[in-house]
């Protein structure tokens, strides 16, 4: 028996813009970005695998719905996904999960979700935690997104009442 996450909002419960700092996804079949991350200085492939092993329910592999965006979205109807507020997904060119971030963005957009994706930022996974100028850039991007979509969020919330 598995438990649903207590942290991640569902399309029915999201009440604000969705802006994961560094969405982290995986899957059993490796993407090109994951294969090239064996010696990544922030998120090397063996550490990535260990994190998933520790995070997923016992007996689950990386194709579990908590890990793989394709599996996660396969069982969700587009009408339910459209209830999500506008989403911002930021990524970096050297980020190991970048291919899966693109997959998630494409699936959400196909379902009719408003998604702003900036996945070609210079640098590596979670760089804004280590570089002050990148942290300031990240904060500015999120603040701008929230400012521009504040009205959308209220309209989305009202339409679900």
């Amino acid at each position: 028996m598995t438990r649903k996450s207590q942290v991640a909002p569902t399309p029915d419960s999201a009440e604000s813009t969705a802006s994961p700092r560094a969405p982290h996804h995986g899957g059993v079949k490796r993407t090109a970005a994951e294969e090239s991350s064996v010696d990544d200085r922030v998120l090397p492939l063996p550490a990535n695998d260990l994190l998933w092993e520790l995070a997923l329910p016992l007996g689950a592999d990386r194709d579990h719905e908590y890990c793989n965006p394709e599996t996660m979205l396969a069982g969700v109807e587009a009408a339910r996904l459209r209830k999500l507020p506008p989403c911002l997904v930021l990524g970096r060119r050297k980020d190991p999960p970048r291919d899966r971030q693109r997959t998630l963005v494409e699936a959400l957009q196909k379902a009719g979700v408003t998604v702003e994706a900036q996945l070609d930022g210079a640098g590596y996974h979670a760089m804004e935690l280590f570089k002050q100028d990148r942290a300031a850039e990240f904060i500015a991007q999120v603040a701008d997104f929230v400012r521009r979509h504040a009205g959308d969020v209220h309209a989305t919330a009202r339409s679900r009442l």
Side-chain angles (χ1 to χ4, degrees):
M1 183 171 129
T2 61
R3 274 191 333 209
K4 289 287 182 184
S5 171
Q6 299 298 314
V7 178
T10 65
D12 292 332
S13 69
E15 291 294 331
S16 62
T17 56
S19 178
R21 186 199 55 74
H24 192 77
H25 305 288
V28 171
K29 185 174 187 265
R30 303 280 188 205
T31 66
E34 290 165 342
E35 287 178 352
S36 70
S37 72
V38 172
D39 295 324
D40 187 87
R41 66 186 210 179
V42 175
L43 191 60
L45 193 56
N48 188 15
D49 288 346
L50 178 60
L51 289 170
W52 279 120
E53 184 179 330
L54 294 171
L56 290 170
L58 288 176
D61 63 22
R62 291 185 312 274
D63 280 338
H64 189 275
E65 66 180 319
Y66 295 174
C67 182
N68 189 328
E70 292 176 275
T71 305
M72 175 180 58
L73 295 174
V76 182
E77 297 171 11
R80 187 166 177 228
L81 287 173
R82 280 191 293 277
K83 293 180 181 180
L84 282 168
C87 299
L88 172 65
V89 181
L90 302 173
R92 303 210 179 268
R93 285 189 291 266
K94 294 183 181 178
D95 198 349
R98 68 186 174 270
D99 295 334
R100 296 196 193 271
Q101 291 170 341
R102 288 184 203 291
T103 298
L104 176 64
V105 166
E106 290 167 5
L108 290 173
Q109 288 174 331
K110 183 178 177 185
V113 178
T114 300
V115 180
E116 288 184 29
Q118 300 170 23
L119 300 173
D120 293 321
Y124 49 87
H125 185 77
M127 186 175 182
E128 60 276 4
L129 299 176
F130 308 102
K131 304 278 187 178
Q132 187 173 1
D133 61 327
R134 298 298 182 190
E137 174 187 61
F138 169 76
I139 291 167
Q141 288 171 315
V142 172
D144 176 62
F145 177 80
V146 170
R147 256 191 310 279
R148 288 184 291 109
H149 293 284
D152 298 343
V153 171
H154 296 297
T156 301
R158 280 191 302 273
S159 71
R160 287 192 303 230
L161 295 177

